[in-house]
Amino acid sequence: ISLKKINNLQNHLMLFFTGFTRFADEIEKDKINSITQKTKEYSELCGMVEESIKILNQDIEHLHDFGKLLNESWKLKKSLSDKVSTTFIDNIYEKGMKNGALGGKILGAGGGGFILFFVPEENRNRIMEALKDLLYIPFNFESMGSQIIYYKGSEIEI
């Protein structure tokens, strides 16, 4: 997608640290153990990838559909295992949605770590206030790929 669309998407995303970590292997084992009973859900999630690509390739005014799709994918992800979310995570998600997010998701396996919200720019301040007890993590998309960064004495080298 164009740099303009990438920047627009990035300006709609807000990342927060939930304040605790989790053991992803336990969550993933639970998902794997139930995979044969959840083929419909996994199929729907795979279909959402194609749908998200279509949205991102449309005109910028359709970008909010991406946030709504994130919301649908979050609901599906939660249905894969009762370990994906907790009451604490559900409360964070609900607070984000009530304050202007169109969608969001826990990154990784679930259960903790980082939560990402899709937020129209006019609602960013409301989200910041509503989630002020969480650590907000500003970030930028990287187009250079993986890089090795290390600390040497008093300077950082890439």
Side-chain angles (χ1 to χ4, degrees):
I1 64 175
S2 71
L3 183 59
K4 183 177 179 180
K5 285 182 185 177
I6 290 170
N7 289 335
N8 198 349
L9 175 62
Q10 183 173 290
N11 290 336
H12 282 79
L13 299 175
M14 298 181 76
L15 182 66
F16 294 88
F17 180 57
T18 62
F20 63 93
T21 57
R22 74 283 184 250
F23 295 103
D25 60 329
E26 292 174 14
I27 297 167
E28 292 303 329
K29 281 180 191 174
D30 193 56
K31 286 187 212 172
I32 289 169
N33 288 338
S34 66
I35 201 165
T36 56
Q37 293 86 31
K38 302 285 183 171
T39 55
K40 179 180 178 240
E41 290 86 348
Y42 281 104
S43 179
E44 285 182 50
L45 281 170
C46 288
M48 287 181 173
V49 173
E50 291 299 320
E51 193 173 342
S52 68
I53 291 169
K54 286 178 188 174
I55 291 169
L56 292 175
N57 281 300
Q58 290 179 349
D59 294 331
I60 287 176
E61 59 266 10
H62 296 284
L63 189 59
H64 286 189
D65 292 339
F66 187 83
K68 295 171 187 171
L69 187 62
L70 269 181
N71 186 47
E72 293 304 312
S73 71
W74 170 242
K75 291 175 188 175
L76 269 175
K77 184 174 181 174
K78 280 181 55 171
S79 74
L80 299 177
S81 167
D82 61 359
K83 292 179 172 58
V84 166
S85 192
T86 63
T87 302
F88 181 72
I89 298 295
D90 289 342
N91 289 338
I92 292 170
Y93 192 84
E94 186 176 318
K95 196 180 287 188
M97 295 298 285
K98 283 183 178 177
N99 284 281
L102 297 180
K105 69 181 302 294
I106 285 289
L107 303 182
F114 295 88
I115 189 165
L116 180 75
F117 285 105
F118 183 97
V119 182
E121 293 183 68
E122 64 270 15
N123 296 337
R124 290 178 69 85
N125 289 337
R126 282 177 48 204
I127 295 290
M128 288 296 288
E129 179 62 27
L131 301 177
K132 65 185 174 189
D133 294 336
L134 301 179
L135 178 62
Y136 170 67
I137 311 289
F139 73 95
N140 292 309
F141 291 137
E142 174 58 55
S143 63
M144 299 292 293
S146 296
Q147 299 180 37
I148 298 173
I149 300 174
Y150 62 94
Y151 181 74
K152 181 180 175 185
S154 62
E155 57 192 59
I156 296 176
E157 293 186 21
I158 299 177

